Amino acid sequence: PSLKIIYFDSTGRAEAARLALTIGDVPFEDVRVKKEEFAEMKTSGKLPMGSLPVIEVDGKMVCQSAAILNYTGKLAGLYPSDPFDGMKVEEVRGCLEDIGQMIFATFAIQDLDEKIAKRKELVDGKMGEKIAALDKLLESNGKKCTVSDDITVADIDVYTTCTMMTSGFLDGIPKDMFDKYGKLSAISKAVAEHPKVAKWNADHAKA
Amino acid sequence: LVLNSAATTSHVPPLKVYYFNAMGRAEPIRLALSIGGVPFEDVRLNKEQFAEMKSSGKLPMGSLPVLEVDGKMVCQSAAIMNYASKMAGLYPSDEFTGMKVEEVKGCLEDIAQLLYSTFSIQDLEAKIAKRKELLDGPMGQKIAALNKVLEGNGKKLAVSDVITSADIELYCFKKLTSAGFLDGIPTDLLDRYPKIMACASAVAAHPAVVKWNAEH
């Protein structure tokens, strides 16, 4: 099918799907919209839930980043066909989302010092615990990659979450926060070093 | 109105669904397995048993629900529902329709999250006011938009002409909002959304669901 991934000009909730298609050599149009265009798409009623990302498949718009990653992963051959392994992929997806939600909840804090303090509290507390638990879960999966011996969308998901959090753009989140998590670090590194991902990142590096 | 229901039952290992004695995040899973005729142990924990499981390290993320498959514990309700639906023959085999199922689930989760954000409000008046604000605002808008997505799908039910996990999720959401214990949430909230109601009704009418509800 003809594919378009439509999102803002950032990694956010679209990067994992973009990388899945890229790793799987599945052609797609990488559409990045500015604020004005997004507003226009919203008012024109084109966006099913008024949000991005959406994927356009043969002209049909579908929303929800997890749904899009599920689909693009299958097209790219990066989604396990075995139902148990598929569940393990979704287990990682869910854990990463829970961790992400804790960070997203801090975005609305206006005062910078308060924001940083809240994030430190999360890193040293509940969020840190969840990350440690996820790292342990991945260890106990006992595979080369996240849920299997081959890369799946779960690995890409780990990579995009870790890099988003340690990008340096999130005040109060240390860039080295994942260093102590052996499995998460290793998976993230492996994806970063994948030749197609390395090329993608080089092609999309901002000046 | 069900996809190849018992087709995969012979290949399903023994399953245990662990949760509290409530519908919450386990009910869609229990219903999917019931509709599909997949045998499972419906384990309900009280607070002490949950605390014990937590401290024993048995729960991967210290949370419920978990699914025990061949002695392996898996968490995350969406993950478990994904698997349970496949075992029950209620998950579409083609990738695009699978994505449409996940689209419905994602939208419902976003709507539910708005509701969950009000649970911690202590003052009843403030809670009711916040819920009204959400219903008149983003939550109401999202429900309307979801109904429109379902209508746009052009199928008898959520994403297909037969029951899928998406319909079960819609049914559980309808049950939650119409139960009457959510102050400030009118029990007829979803009545004006015909497609959501149609999907929920189809699940409610399924003999396995009728039996389940009678027994619980």
Side-chain angles (χ1 to χ4, degrees), chain B residues 111-119 131 134 139 176 182 185:
Chain B
I111 291 162
Q113 283 295 337
L114 288 174
L115 182 59
Y116 299 156
S117 72
T118 65
F119 282 16
R131 287 174 175 175
L134 286 170
M139 194 169 148
L176 171 69
L182 295 174
I185 302 289

Side-chain angles (χ1 to χ4, degrees), chain B residues 88-108:
Chain B
L90 300 170
Y91 199 89
S93 49
D94 91 277
E95 300 98 349
F96 185 84
T97 314
M99 170 166 63
K100 295 297 280 174
V101 164
E102 302 300 337
E103 183 183 39
V104 172
K105 285 162 130 178
C107 292
L108 276 173

Side-chain angles (χ1 to χ4, degrees), chain B residues 2 26-36 81 84-85 88 90-91 104-105 108 157-158 162-175 199-200 202-204 206 209:
Chain B
V2 176
E27 197 72 352
I29 297 161
R30 296 168 178 148
L31 292 177
L33 294 171
S34 300
I35 289 173
M81 183 57 174
S85 304
L90 300 170
Y91 199 89
V104 172
K105 285 162 130 178
L108 276 173
L157 300 177
V162 296
I163 289 177
T164 64
S165 54
D167 300 285
I168 299 173
E169 299 277 359
L170 289 163
Y171 167 73
C172 290
F173 183 65
K174 161 90 173 74
K175 248 193 135 177
C199 298
V203 174
H206 191 287
V209 175

Side-chain angles (χ1 to χ4, degrees), chain A residues 27-192:
Chain A
F28 72 102
E29 204 182 321
D30 178 22
V31 180
R32 295 165 187 246
V33 302
K34 298 202 167 67
K35 272 193 175 165
E36 301 77 33
E37 240 182 297
F38 171 54
E40 216 180 280
M41 284 186 91
K42 255 177 114 160
T43 45
S44 74
K46 282 201 181 115
L47 304 175
M49 295 296 282
S51 62
L52 295 178
V54 285
I55 189 169
E56 198 181 301
V57 185
D58 289 334
K60 285 174 274 195
M61 294 283 205
V62 183
C63 65
Q64 291 296 327
S65 57
I68 296 167
L69 182 59
N70 182 296
Y71 178 70
T72 53
K74 287 170 185 173
L75 294 183
L78 299 172
Y79 198 95
S81 49
D82 174 76
F84 184 86
D85 291 343
M87 169 167 60
K88 295 296 282 176
V89 164
E90 301 300 335
E91 183 181 38
V92 171
R93 165 95 292 273
C95 292
L96 287 170
E97 183 65 37
D98 286 349
I99 290 162
Q101 283 296 334
M102 293 180 124
I103 283 289
F104 300 151
T106 65
F107 282 16
I109 301 171
Q110 302 289 0
D111 180 68
L112 184 61
D113 288 328
E114 202 190 311
K115 191 187 291 195
I116 290 174
K118 182 66 189 174
R119 287 173 177 175
K120 184 181 192 315
E121 189 190 307
L122 285 171
V123 170
D124 295 341
K126 286 202 160 131
M127 192 174 80
E129 284 163 24
K130 279 193 191 283
I131 296 172
L134 175 57
D135 198 63
K136 196 171 165 205
L137 193 161
L138 297 177
E139 288 281 0
S140 71
N141 284 354
K143 302 289 181 184
K144 261 201 213 142
C145 302
T146 311
V147 308
S148 97
D149 288 335
D150 299 307
I151 189 174
T152 63
V153 290
D155 298 83
I156 299 172
D157 217 349
V158 167
Y159 165 73
T160 53
T161 303
C162 291
T163 47
M164 183 270 292
M165 286 182 66
T166 57
S167 60
F169 289 118
L170 297 177
D171 303 290
I173 303 292
K175 288 187 91 172
D176 62 357
M177 84 162 279
F178 283 95
D179 288 9
K180 73 175 95 143
Y181 304 112
K183 201 69 187 177
L184 286 164
S185 300
I187 289 164
S188 198
K189 187 162 178 282
V191 173

